[in-house]
Amino acid sequence: MPETVNDTEKQIFDAAIKVFQRKGMAGARMQEIADEAGINKSMLHYYFRSKEKLFRQIFLISLKKFIGSVVPLLNEQNTWEQKVPLIIEYYAKFLTENPDLPFFVLSEIRNNAEEFLSEVKIEDILINSVFMEQLKNDMGKEKIRRINPVQIFLSIISGIIFPFIAKPMVKHVAKLDDNSWNEFINERKDIVSGMVINYLKQF
């Protein structure tokens, strides 16, 4: 959210995030956002002249939150091996608190990937992180398997993100209720962490 906003703008942003994450750009309506914010449609248009302008701001905020908020963890001075379970734990908590955000980001980014990704510069955030440098250094010393470090990061986040994106299907297939879902995710965190670390170290 922009740093300088008034109460009405904050209401609109909070409402727009909910509506866009539920409906996407194509499915969202300005009237629905106004209703969610508890204001009339003319006031919404006063602050944001078009759905496209509002969506752009909401999407960039969501993308930075989804990817950028893990950066401090990637840049801590602990080892890459210590970081792996911490990254998984972070995303498990993040997705529990923001269940609609990953599907929203991943589905919408397909429509205009180049524009959004170039503005956020995810590649610089990730490639230049301490985590990536640690992986490359250990690969150079032949302590771990040589592979594109991006593959490792993708394996980590996809391993924990996919169950949340496909939650209804996963719950149905695994016959999970809400309580057993939490147990399933805790087990999943250990599995993904073990698979990634063992893959890198056992070669």
Side-chain angles (χ1 to χ4, degrees):
M1 185 183 300
E3 292 184 5
T4 305
V5 296
N6 60 34
D7 290 343
T8 302
E9 285 178 296
K10 185 179 186 307
Q11 282 179 256
I12 293 171
F13 265 87
D14 291 345
I17 287 171
K18 292 178 182 177
V19 174
F20 279 129
Q21 287 185 7
R22 287 199 307 260
K23 300 290 186 68
M25 171 63 180
R29 297 289 179 268
M30 291 293 268
Q31 183 63 60
E32 188 176 4
I33 295 170
D35 292 343
E36 182 76 34
I39 61 174
N40 59 50
K41 191 174 178 181
S42 61
M43 183 175 290
L44 175 59
H45 280 286
Y46 171 79
Y47 285 98
F48 298 94
R49 293 177 180 269
S50 70
K51 183 175 76 168
E52 289 73 19
K53 180 181 178 181
L54 179 55
F55 173 81
R56 178 179 176 79
Q57 292 193 39
I58 294 299
F59 184 82
L60 288 174
I61 289 169
S62 298
L63 180 58
K64 289 175 183 178
K65 186 177 181 181
F66 182 54
I67 298 295
S69 55
V70 77
V71 171
L73 186 56
L74 296 175
N75 289 324
E76 288 182 359
Q77 293 304 312
N78 51 4
T79 67
W80 69 262
E81 190 172 349
Q82 291 170 323
K83 283 186 174 76
V84 170
L86 294 178
I87 295 168
I88 293 168
E89 179 66 38
Y90 167 83
Y91 270 110
K93 184 175 185 294
F94 178 86
L95 294 165
T96 299
E97 296 172 352
N98 302 272
D100 295 324
L101 191 145
F103 186 80
F104 167 67
V105 168
L106 296 175
S107 60
E108 294 293 339
I109 206 168
R110 296 180 62 187
N111 298 325
N112 211 343
E114 188 171 334
E115 176 186 358
F116 289 129
L117 292 177
S118 63
E119 183 161 342
V120 177
K121 297 190 181 302
I122 290 175
E123 67 277 15
D124 293 340
I125 292 172
L126 181 59
I127 297 301
N128 296 328
S129 68
V130 171
F131 178 66
M132 289 298 196
E133 286 302 316
Q134 289 172 323
L135 289 174
K136 286 186 283 189
N137 285 340
D138 276 8
M139 288 175 192
K141 296 174 183 177
E142 298 188 349
K143 291 183 177 180
I144 59 176
R145 187 189 301 266
R146 286 181 177 271
I147 189 171
N148 187 334
V150 175
Q151 291 277 17
I152 303 305
F153 186 72
L154 288 178
S155 295
I156 293 170
I157 62 171
S158 62
I160 195 64
I161 288 175
F162 178 78
F164 284 91
I165 292 177
K167 185 175 180 179
M169 181 187 72
V170 174
K171 289 181 71 175
H172 176 77
V173 171
K175 302 185 181 340
L176 304 173
D177 58 22
D178 289 340
N179 290 329
S180 54
W181 167 258
N182 293 330
E183 296 174 7
F184 182 85
I185 291 300
N186 285 332
E187 184 180 38
R188 182 72 186 158
K189 290 186 289 188
D190 291 338
I191 291 171
V192 175
S193 179
M195 286 193 302
V196 171
I197 292 172
N198 290 335
Y199 173 79
L200 283 171
K201 296 178 75 172
Q202 297 177 11
F203 64 103

